[in-house]
Amino acid sequence: MTDQELLDKFANPDTRNYAFNLLVRKYQQKVYSLIRKMVIDHSDADDLTQETFIKVWHHLEEFRGDSQLFTWIYRIASNECLNFLNKKKRRFFLPLDDVDYELEAKVDADPDLSGDEIQNKLQKAILRLPEKQRLVFHLRYYDEMPYEQMAEITGTSEGALKASYHHAVRKIEEFLNGN
Amino acid sequence: MEKKPFRLEDLPRKDPFTTPPAPYFDELPQRIQARIREQDKKSARIINWSPSRLWLATGAAAAIAVMTYLSWPVRQDSIGTDSLSLVQRKEIISYLQQQNVSPQDLSEIYENDTFLDSLANQPLQLIKVSKAALLEQIPLEDLDI
């Protein structure tokens, strides 16, 4: 079913639940995957994924169609991740380094990680990036998203995103070569 | 031989996390909808304000304010001298006698007040007190002679 068909069915109160069900099934894996890479922990990712789609439910009628539906959903998911990480930092009065240290520990402990040593090192290197740069890196490196689409999600210019991504790559390579 | 520096593009690009086991994604849509219903139930319990409810609340608050004002205990102001002058002399004397205040006590009080008032109005140096009288009041040990 196309996005427009989903939106039309959602607009009809009789078919709203059905349309929403289909929408979730269509995008849940990608949304979960992005969130999981950002927050590492499965239960946090589960909670944030649900919150993302709950926001989609409440605001889908306001969606104007000036971007792709997926871009709009991804934007909500990205904001949920960034707000979660910032809230975590504020709640426990942790400086950014301590939050990253905690996430690195989760990388070591997580049974769902592939177990490949170099991949684990890569994840730890990514965790050393500032949150927004980390998001940019995930969108470009793992999702191979065009910069134009990334600009819609992050609200940042394409030029800034390109610069941010290249700096992120350099930092990661320096970290991996240093180790 | 120098070790070749690592480059990110040399690394196979794969999702670092394995997919959560079934039936996670099968059940996720129902879990989300259950959570939405739960949140909707909670928000329905909150009282929604409407214009009629607002007027009702304002009226109730005004009524409470009026009742509070009317039932507030009246403060008794102090009796002024005009009020006191309406009281007959014999009643005042009777009252003072009940309080064990004799006329002599009253006259002494009056004299003392008059004397103290005069002191307040008179510069100290005009008070006629002899040196001998003053010296009698000062202990000798306090004098630096």
Side-chain angles (χ1 to χ4, degrees), chain B residues 42-55:
Chain B
K42 279 183 191 169
S43 57
R45 278 188 225 129
I46 295 166
I47 297 169
N48 290 317
W49 282 103
S50 63
S52 57
R53 279 195 180 157
L54 186 63
W55 281 114

Side-chain angles (χ1 to χ4, degrees), chain A residues 64-161:
Chain A
R64 294 281 173 265
D66 45 3
S67 65
Q68 289 180 47
L69 181 58
F70 176 64
T71 306
W72 184 76
I73 295 172
Y74 239 43
R75 184 169 188 153
I76 295 172
S78 303
N79 287 335
E80 286 294 306
C81 290
L82 294 176
N83 289 339
F84 171 79
L85 291 170
N86 283 329
K87 214 183 281 184
K88 196 170 194 165
K89 200 169 38 170
R90 279 200 302 271
R91 187 180 300 157
F92 299 107
F93 301 101
L94 291 173
L96 179 61
D97 289 345
D98 284 356
V99 173
D100 293 341
Y101 179 77
E102 190 190 323
L103 292 175
E104 278 186 39
K106 285 182 193 270
V107 167
D108 286 331
D110 200 313
D112 294 334
L113 274 166
S114 63
D116 186 336
E117 191 186 336
I118 191 68
Q119 286 290 341
N120 280 8
K121 277 185 182 168
L122 173 59
Q123 292 311 307
K124 289 183 184 179
I126 294 168
L127 284 172
R128 286 166 187 262
L129 302 172
E131 290 114 341
K132 203 158 179 193
Q133 191 175 43
R134 201 186 310 161
L135 174 68
V136 170
F137 180 82
H138 283 309
L139 292 174
R140 184 67 181 170
Y141 183 76
Y142 286 108
D143 293 343
E144 296 178 291
M145 190 175 285
Y147 283 111
E148 189 185 343
Q149 196 173 10
M150 283 166 62
E152 288 176 18
I153 290 170
T154 61
T156 309
S157 69
E158 287 184 42
L161 289 169

